[in-house]
Structures are given as structure tokens and as C-alpha cells.
Amino acid sequence: MGSTGYTCIRRTFCSFNILIWLCGSGFLAIGVWLHFAYPGYATLLPEHAVLSADSMFITIGVISFVIAFFGCCGSWFQSRCFLVIYFTLVVLLFLSEFLLGSLAFVFRGGIGRMLTQELKYGIEKHYNVSDRGGFLTPSVASIWDNLQGDLQCCGVSSYEDWYDISAWPGERWVPRSCCRPQYGSMFTEGSGDELPNVDCRKAGNPTLLWDKSCGQILQMWFVQRLHIVGTVGLVIGFLQLFGLISSMLLFCTVKHKRSSKTYKSYSPTVDTTLNRNG
């Protein structure tokens, strides 16, 4: 490979890793911001806080930052050691993604049930009407009320998930966010002035509530965007493959250039020329 080809591979590989480094820094910054700005969202899965959005963004950012660091150093300093470490990390990352993806596909039913149970556990044990949290630290009650109001849903599997929770033990109530807008406040049941006003969340009438569960809404949202998930997976796979091929080409080229320089410095032609000049 000529000097022009080597320079082109080196610059392309270095630019590629700088881009990955910037993206990793962005993911890390988003994860840190989510961790400090919206820490309450982790409580939706109290027993699996590592699956929260901030933890996932921080993990992706750190991994991308470390891998890109070795790639940039390997191409800039022409270090075969850094290139080997970079290649090894990318291979391990690819194998980890393949393993996690395979396990998630095989045990998708169990994972779905586990997430459903965790969400229900969060509703039962951590929902507190009086605790609304703050702007930077929203509580579980605030999060669920905003989620149900925005998605127009009630409960994880059904509105009965709210029955007999720690916030109102022994009662068959639901949060006010489960009520349809026209029934969100006190209303008169039936007709006639003699009938008292009824609180929607305590009426026990499913027709006054949102008819879909939040789990169903989220599942439909995810299924409708499977093509986006597939596209992102293909792009990530292509980037990893490009990094592997480029690092190996650069590794072999660095070895070849070093061996060529060593050979030329001790070649008979060079020695004869030096003797004549002497």
C-alpha cells in the first residue's frame, strides 16, 4: 500500500473515531443531565434502577468514549498496541450486543412479565398522593399522573392495578389522571338535584376512565417503530464493521511501513552509497 493510501486510511479512521468520541460525549452529557434533572424516573422500576434512561445513556456514552479514545490514539501515534486494544473492545462489544439481543428475543415473554410486575410494584408501594416532588425531582405519583394524562391510559395492565394500593388500602380507587377530561372533577350521577355529586376516581365506574392500559399503549408505540429500531441496529453494526476493518488495515499498514523503513536503513545499496560518500 502506498503512502497516499496509508494516509487516507489513517485520516478516515481518525475522523471516524473523533465522530464516535463526540457522540459518546453527547450521550454521557445527556445521561448526567437526566440523572440530576429527572432522578424520579428511575423509581418506576424500583428494583431495576439500572434500566433507567439516565443509566443507559451514561453506559453508552462511557463505552463509546473509551473505544474512540483507543482508536484515536492508535491512529494518531501509529500504535499497534492501541489498535489491538481497540479491535478487541469492538469485538467484545459486538459479542455482548449479539448475546443480549439473542437473550432478549428468546426470553421476551419473561422480560415483558418482569417489567409489568415491576411497574405494578412501583404503583402499589411507591405511589403517594401527597408527595408531588419538585420540578427537578418528580415523585412517582407525579410521573404516573403525567404519563396517564399524556398517553390517555390507566394502570399497567388495567385500571384494577390501582385497587388496594398502599396509598389507599382496602379501597377500589384510581388516580384522578385515570378519569376522562369531562369526568375529571366532581360530577352528578344520573339526573335530578337530589342525587349527590360523585368523585370519578371513587365511583367504581369503568366507563368514566380511560379504556386502554399504559402497557398496551407503550407496546403499540414500540411495535409501530420497529423499523426505526432495525435501522438503528443496522447502522450500529455497519459502524462496528467499518471500525474493525479500518483498524486491521491500519494495523497491518503500520507494521509494513515499519518493516520497510528498517529494511531500507540496512540495505546494501544504502551502505554502499554511504561508503562512497565517505
Side-chain angles (χ1 to χ4, degrees):
M1 182 180 294
S3 177
T4 304
Y6 170 76
T7 304
C8 181
I9 293 177
R10 183 184 174 190
R11 289 180 177 177
T12 303
F13 184 71
C14 187
S15 301
F16 169 76
N17 283 281
I18 290 176
L19 179 62
I20 298 298
W21 182 80
L22 293 175
C23 293
S25 301
F27 278 113
L28 183 60
I30 293 174
V32 173
W33 175 73
L34 288 175
H35 179 75
F36 288 101
Y38 299 99
Y41 281 90
T43 57
L44 289 178
L45 296 173
E47 301 298 327
H48 298 83
V50 71
L51 298 178
S52 60
D54 55 346
S55 299
M56 298 182 72
F57 272 107
I58 291 175
T59 302
I60 294 173
V62 170
I63 293 175
S64 302
F65 186 90
V66 172
I67 292 178
F69 170 79
F70 283 105
C72 291
C73 291
S75 60
W76 182 262
F77 298 106
Q78 302 182 42
S79 172
R80 296 175 60 196
C81 179
F82 281 151
L83 291 174
V84 169
I85 295 176
Y86 174 87
F87 183 86
T88 304
L89 290 177
V90 174
V91 170
L92 292 177
L93 179 62
F94 176 80
L95 293 177
S96 300
E97 292 171 351
F98 179 79
L99 179 62
L100 290 176
S102 301
L103 291 176
F105 178 78
V106 173
F107 299 103
R108 59 188 182 277
I111 293 176
R113 288 190 294 270
M114 183 269 294
L115 291 176
T116 300
Q117 292 174 359
E118 284 298 318
L119 290 173
K120 290 181 178 180
Y121 178 81
I123 288 176
E124 180 180 356
K125 300 298 183 181
H126 295 268
Y127 189 91
N128 188 349
V129 180
S130 59
D131 181 16
R132 307 306 298 177
F135 177 76
L136 296 181
T137 56
S139 64
V140 176
S142 177
I143 295 170
W144 269 108
D145 289 340
N146 292 331
L147 180 67
Q148 293 184 143
D150 294 338
L151 298 182
Q152 299 182 357
C153 58
C154 183
V156 180
S157 301
S158 69
Y159 61 90
E160 294 181 354
D161 296 334
W162 294 103
Y163 288 179
D164 193 22
I165 65 175
S166 59
W168 41 75
E171 302 291 346
R172 299 169 64 87
W173 296 349
V174 297
R176 197 172 300 279
S177 57
C178 283
C179 299
R180 297 177 182 270
Q182 60 270 29
Y183 307 123
S185 58
M186 304 294 289
F187 70 99
T188 302
E189 187 176 16
S191 60
D193 297 335
E194 70 281 0
L195 296 178
N197 291 333
V198 179
D199 190 349
C200 167
R201 67 189 189 94
K202 301 179 181 180
N205 188 354
T207 59
L208 309 178
L209 312 176
W210 298 117
D211 57 349
K212 293 184 179 180
S213 64
C214 295
Q216 182 183 2
I217 295 292
L218 292 175
Q219 183 179 5
M220 292 176 57
W221 181 89
F222 181 77
V223 170
Q224 292 173 355
R225 288 161 177 80
L226 279 179
H227 62 285
I228 299 178
V229 177
T231 302
V232 172
L234 289 177
V235 171
I236 293 175
F238 173 78
L239 293 176
Q240 291 175 343
L241 181 62
F242 176 81
L244 290 175
I245 296 175
S246 300
S247 61
M248 281 295 96
L249 287 176
L250 194 59
F251 175 86
C252 297
T253 306
V254 169
K255 180 179 179 181
H256 174 71
K257 289 179 71 66
R258 288 184 175 180
S259 60
S260 299
K261 290 179 181 179
T262 305
Y263 171 77
K264 288 181 180 179
S265 61
Y266 293 99
S267 63
T269 306
V270 175
D271 292 340
T272 304
T273 303
L274 292 175
N275 292 331
R276 287 179 181 177
N277 294 334

